[in-house]
């Protein structure tokens, strides 16, 4: 068992690290690698990405890769031995459950992260749990995964734990992980690539964007959500910069 989990952890660490670097690099090249220095989309960062910032983000991200890999390896080991609710036959729960289970995982992740994120901003916890991520006041796509080890450990266990209580198909797991990666990279891009009609329209009123999340890197008391603005709006911590729609705070 130990050797199995160790080998799986090593393999997943490499996969997670390569996936992170590849997706972040592609986003960085497409957004900030254009001729003339002007980024694609609506610029949010005052300055172009600095090499020192990118090095810091890469270091934290690569160090935290194994922290995410270990709980995933334990869940995979349990799956191989019939101990999870991961299933491979779509007919077992039906096509509709593919979408319902994916939505459940996203909603649970979002709620968990909102409250964890607020907790990590407590003065007694911030310095050792979350300050490393906030060294990127003008984040780059490489900041999407740059968490201190303590923060990574608090985040890494949730999705592997869910496979023991909520049935899910492997394809849905991959879809959720892909959406999470793309959302994290784009929300830290330093430039808004979504069109204004999305950011400032009905969709953007509930969906976190780079415009929304960039505020969190300059104003630490707002915008704690992961995917959705629901909890921020409900708890009165939602803030949008001037020039973007600002929904009325919950009373």
């Amino acid at each position: 068992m130990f050797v199995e989990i160790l080998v799986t952890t090593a393999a997943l660490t490499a996969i997670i690290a390569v996936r992170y670097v590849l997706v972040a690099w592609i986003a960085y090249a497409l957004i900030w690698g254009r001729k003339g220095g002007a980024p694609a989309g609506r610029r949010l960062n005052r300055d172009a990405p600095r090499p020192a910032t990118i090095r810091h983000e890469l270091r934290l991200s690569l160090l935290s890769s194994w922290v995410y890999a270990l709980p995933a390896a334990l869940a995979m080991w349990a799956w191989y031995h019939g101990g999870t609710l991961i299933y491979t036959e779509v007919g077992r729960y039906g096509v509709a459950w593919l979408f319902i289970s994916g939505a459940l995982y996203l909603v649970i992740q979002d709620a968990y992260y909102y409250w964890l994120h607020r907790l990590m901003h407590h003065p007694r916890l911030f310095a050792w749990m979350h300050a490393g991520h906030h060294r990127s006041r003008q984040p780059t796509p490489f900041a999407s995964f740059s968490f201190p080890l303590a923060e990574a450990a608090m985040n890494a266990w949730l999705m592997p734990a869910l496979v023991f209580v909520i049935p899910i198909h492997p394809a849905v797991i991959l879809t959720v992980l892909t959406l999470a990666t793309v959302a994290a990279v784009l929300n830290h891009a330093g430039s808004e690539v979504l069109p204004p009609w999305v950011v400032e329209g009905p969709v953007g009123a509930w969906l976190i964007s780079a415009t929304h999340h960039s505020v969190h890197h300059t104003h630490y008391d707002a915008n704690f959500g992961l995917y959705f603005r629901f909890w921020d709006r409900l708890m009165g911590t939602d803030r949008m910069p001037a020039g973007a729609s600002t929904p009325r705070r919950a009373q």
Side-chain angles (χ1 to χ4, degrees):
M1 171 183 173
F2 177 78
V3 174
E4 246 185 297
I5 293 175
L6 186 64
V7 171
T8 305
T9 300
L12 288 177
T13 299
I15 292 170
I16 291 169
V18 170
R19 181 191 66 186
Y20 151 74
V21 172
L22 182 62
V23 176
W25 181 83
I26 290 173
Y28 175 81
L30 292 176
I31 294 171
W32 290 98
R34 307 197 321 164
K35 292 182 179 179
R42 184 170 67 85
R43 185 173 190 146
L44 301 171
N45 286 0
R46 181 191 62 194
D47 304 317
R50 298 178 178 178
T53 300
I54 294 175
R55 286 195 297 271
H56 166 73
E57 293 167 351
L58 279 167
R59 182 178 63 84
L60 278 187
S61 299
L62 295 177
L63 284 174
S64 66
S65 294
W66 74 268
V67 180
Y68 279 87
L70 179 57
L74 291 170
M76 287 186 69
W77 182 88
W79 175 34
Y80 294 154
H81 292 82
T84 73
L85 295 181
I86 299 174
Y87 65 96
T88 56
E89 296 180 5
V90 174
R92 183 173 180 181
Y93 294 95
V95 174
W97 182 251
L98 297 175
F99 297 93
I100 294 171
S101 59
L104 281 173
Y105 272 63
L106 290 174
V107 168
I108 292 170
Q109 276 186 302
D110 184 73
Y112 173 78
Y113 188 75
Y114 175 85
W115 291 105
L116 173 64
H117 199 175
R118 286 195 68 173
L119 179 65
M120 291 189 298
H121 275 263
H122 189 283
R124 294 184 179 179
L125 300 177
F126 182 79
W128 64 279
M129 284 197 74
H130 196 48
H133 183 69
H134 274 282
R135 279 185 58 184
S136 302
R137 288 185 64 84
Q138 298 187 77
T140 81
F142 294 98
S144 57
F145 207 52
S146 62
F147 305 124
L149 295 183
E151 178 175 358
M154 293 297 292
N155 276 312
W157 69 272
L158 180 61
M159 189 163 179
L162 288 178
V163 304
F164 292 92
V165 293
I166 300 177
I168 191 168
H169 192 277
V172 179
I173 294 176
L174 292 176
T175 300
V176 169
L177 290 173
T178 300
L179 288 173
T181 301
V182 172
V185 168
L186 293 182
N187 290 345
H188 289 87
S191 184
E192 182 59 79
V193 297
L194 296 177
W197 63 267
V198 172
V199 176
E200 300 176 17
V203 174
W206 294 102
L207 190 68
I208 290 174
S209 60
T211 302
H212 185 267
H213 189 68
S214 67
V215 175
H216 180 72
H217 279 261
T218 55
H219 298 79
Y220 294 2
D221 61 346
N223 300 2
F224 297 101
L226 183 61
Y227 305 120
F228 312 113
R229 293 171 63 178
F230 170 80
W231 286 103
D232 277 308
R233 294 182 65 175
L234 181 65
M235 302 308 300
T237 55
D238 190 83
R239 183 184 301 176
M240 285 290 272
S245 60
T246 306
R248 182 167 57 87
R249 290 187 177 189
Q251 301 298 317

